Amino acid sequence: MPDKDIPADAKNIILLNLMPLKESTERHLFRLFSEADGNIRFILARTFSYTSKNTTEEYLQKYYIPLTDPYIQNGRFDGLIVTGAPVEHLEFSQVVYWEELKGFFEWSKTHVKSIYGICWGAQAALKYFFGIDKYLTKDKLFGLFDISLTEQACENNLFKGIPKNFIAPQSRYAYNLAEDIKKDDRLIIAASGPEAGMHIVTAKDGSLLCIFGHPEYDKETLSAEYFRDLNKGEEIVFPHNYFINGNPALLPDPTWQKAGRILAANWINNL
């Protein structure tokens, strides 16, 4: 529900948080969007067809509303953020809440100005709105990777102020083919890297911004993911170009956040 302490002219942004650890994801994203002009009202939303097992029901009831809530269904919103989700290994049709998400994406066509998709959330949006499939990587794309803006991005105000070359965290098991994006003249590849592949894709009309990496991550996030999987006995690649001198005790400064914050602010300011 709207926060009465936030000015009426604030940008209204639905945050559909599909990540297991809701609070840390909220913290990351609130910081990422902190440099936008004006005020932002975040409406924390959750699916009704699947309930998170890693966040208490008490917390969900207190801070989140389901996508079916009348406040959402009857409202008009400036933006929608769809986070990643640990379901990349599944076909879209196998995801428990896929049908619900498809319905929500359809609803968004007339109720939301623009969608900001992250990782799986970006891939899901590309699948629904443009019919573009994802593919599984042989090994997890994991670590810090060099990224460059394309010439088309440099001419787009959405990317104003972002350095042409920057680094970005990646943590995913799936990717989209650049060839599929290039076949659709409604889309442009805005940023990519020689090892990471596509990092940002955007719709020319501004209706969708896809970020396949994680500019919102803290300096510790990749380390936490690495040791989580290692301690569970799961196969996990050593994070690329992340630990200083390859030493897991030495973490880098999160310099990637600068480009991420500029892009997030530009997206908000253009709504």
Side-chain angles (χ1 to χ4, degrees):
M1 298 302 176
D3 189 332
K4 295 179 181 178
D5 295 329
I6 297 178
D9 62 352
K11 296 290 177 66
N12 291 293
I13 307 296
I14 298 173
L15 170 52
L16 177 55
N17 190 350
L18 302 173
M19 291 296 286
L21 302 177
K22 307 295 186 194
E23 292 181 71
S24 62
T25 301
E26 293 163 23
R27 184 175 65 252
H28 291 166
L29 291 173
F30 292 164
R31 181 187 58 217
L32 183 70
F33 285 88
S34 64
E35 295 183 11
D37 295 338
N39 296 285
I40 301 174
R41 176 186 292 109
F42 285 103
I43 298 93
L44 302 182
R46 59 186 175 93
T47 58
F48 66 86
S49 53
Y50 176 80
T51 300
S52 175
K53 297 180 176 65
N54 300 87
T55 303
T56 67
E57 182 63 22
E58 179 183 7
Y59 187 86
L60 293 174
Q61 290 288 343
K62 184 175 182 180
Y63 296 108
Y64 282 76
I65 58 177
L67 298 179
T68 52
D69 190 282
Y71 176 72
I72 290 181
Q73 289 295 314
N74 299 329
R76 293 290 187 275
F77 301 89
D78 297 292
L80 164 63
I81 300 170
V82 183
T83 71
V87 293
E88 292 172 296
H89 60 292
L90 299 174
E91 296 290 339
F92 288 114
S93 61
Q94 295 176 312
V95 176
V96 172
Y97 46 79
W98 178 240
E99 290 302 317
E100 179 183 0
L101 185 57
K102 287 198 302 180
F104 192 59
F105 278 152
E106 185 63 27
W107 167 92
S108 74
K109 290 180 180 180
T110 53
H111 292 75
V112 174
K113 294 178 183 177
S114 181
I115 295 174
Y116 181 109
I118 304 170
C119 201
W120 184 85
Q123 295 167 350
L126 282 176
K127 174 63 175 177
Y128 183 76
F129 292 107
F130 298 95
I132 294 175
D133 289 317
K134 65 177 176 65
Y135 301 89
L136 295 180
T137 59
K138 180 181 178 182
D139 297 305
K140 185 177 186 179
L141 187 68
F142 189 49
L144 296 179
F145 293 85
D146 292 324
I147 302 294
S148 296
L149 292 178
T150 63
E151 290 304 316
Q152 285 180 294
C154 292
E155 299 169 357
N156 190 323
N157 282 336
L158 188 59
F159 302 96
K160 184 178 180 181
I162 298 175
K164 181 172 176 56
N165 301 301
F166 56 96
I167 60 171
Q170 306 288 332
S171 180
R172 51 190 167 93
Y173 289 96
Y175 65 99
N176 297 101
L177 291 174
E179 291 79 4
D180 291 341
I181 302 299
K182 293 175 181 177
K183 289 176 185 175
D184 195 316
D185 61 10
R186 296 170 295 174
L187 299 169
I188 65 168
I189 299 172
S192 64
E195 296 169 293
M198 294 186 298
H199 176 59
I200 303 173
V201 168
T202 186
K204 290 180 180 178
D205 65 2
S207 62
L208 177 64
L209 174 62
C210 297
I211 297 94
F212 302 112
H214 289 279
E216 77 279 8
Y217 272 8
D218 286 326
K219 65 185 293 183
E220 304 90 355
T221 308
L222 290 176
S223 177
E225 290 184 0
Y226 174 68
F227 283 107
R228 176 199 64 199
D229 292 348
L230 202 64
N231 292 334
K232 289 164 62 176
E234 298 180 0
E235 288 189 17
I236 179 67
V237 297
F238 195 75
H240 174 78
N241 197 35
Y242 173 61
F243 295 124
I244 298 174
N245 298 325
N247 183 345
L250 301 177
L251 303 182
D253 290 330
T255 55
W256 58 83
Q257 292 179 356
K258 178 180 179 181
R261 290 183 185 182
I262 294 173
L263 179 57
N266 287 350
W267 180 70
I268 289 288
N269 297 340
N270 281 313
L271 293 175

